[in-house]
Amino acid sequence: QVQLVESGGGLVQAGGSLRLACAASGRAFSRYTMGWFRQAPGKERESVATISGSGGSTYYADSVKGRFTISRDNAKNTVYLQMNSLKPEDTALYYCAASPLSFSRTIADFRTWGQGTQVTVSS
């Protein structure tokens, strides 16, 4: 079991960039698929990006392709989300989560969640 703590959120103008980080404690971090998800007020939680344990497989939601990049450093037990060209519609609470599967893009497969970090993009 891993525990997750997100950081890096904040307020940024449209077109700006932020880098989120998720630090994991616990064993066997490299065995977990990691993902970033977000939830805006009044909306359902949605998948943003996921990455397999080795980093060899990734998934991006269509809305963030070409703008966001997910990566991981297994030596540091950390997964990142580099967000560029941010838009007001990217405003949400961003969560990091872990799945024991070899790879997944489905929210239901992610069993361990952090508490979230707020990203606000002003127009």
Side-chain angles (χ1 to χ4, degrees):
Q1 189 79 5
V2 295
Q3 293 81 44
L4 306 172
V5 178
E6 302 97 333
S7 62
L11 173 64
V12 64
Q13 289 188 333
S17 298
L18 282 174
R19 188 192 196 200
L20 305 184
C22 173
S25 58
R27 294 186 175 183
F29 174 73
S30 63
R31 295 183 182 179
Y32 290 88
T33 291
M34 300 299 296
W36 286 98
F37 304 84
R38 66 187 183 187
Q39 188 166 18
K43 295 188 177 181
E44 292 187 355
R45 192 171 298 188
E46 63 177 355
S47 300
V48 175
T50 65
I51 186 167
S52 62
S54 67
S57 297
T58 57
Y59 158 79
Y60 293 95
D62 288 342
S63 59
V64 307
K65 280 181 182 176
R67 300 188 298 122
F68 291 9
T69 302
I70 189 170
S71 62
R72 65 190 296 161
D73 185 338
N74 286 341
K76 295 182 178 179
N77 280 14
T78 303
V79 61
Y80 304 96
L81 185 69
Q82 178 67 44
M83 305 187 293
N84 298 328
S85 302
L86 282 160
K87 304 175 181 180
E89 51 263 45
D90 294 318
T91 295
L93 188 59
Y94 282 71
Y95 296 90
C96 170
S99 168
L101 301 180
S102 59
F103 185 64
S104 177
R105 62 182 68 179
T106 305
I107 290 178
D109 291 334
F110 289 78
R111 306 298 177 86
T112 303
W113 292 79
Q115 293 192 331
T117 185
Q118 178 68 38
V119 172
T120 303
V121 185
S122 63
S123 58

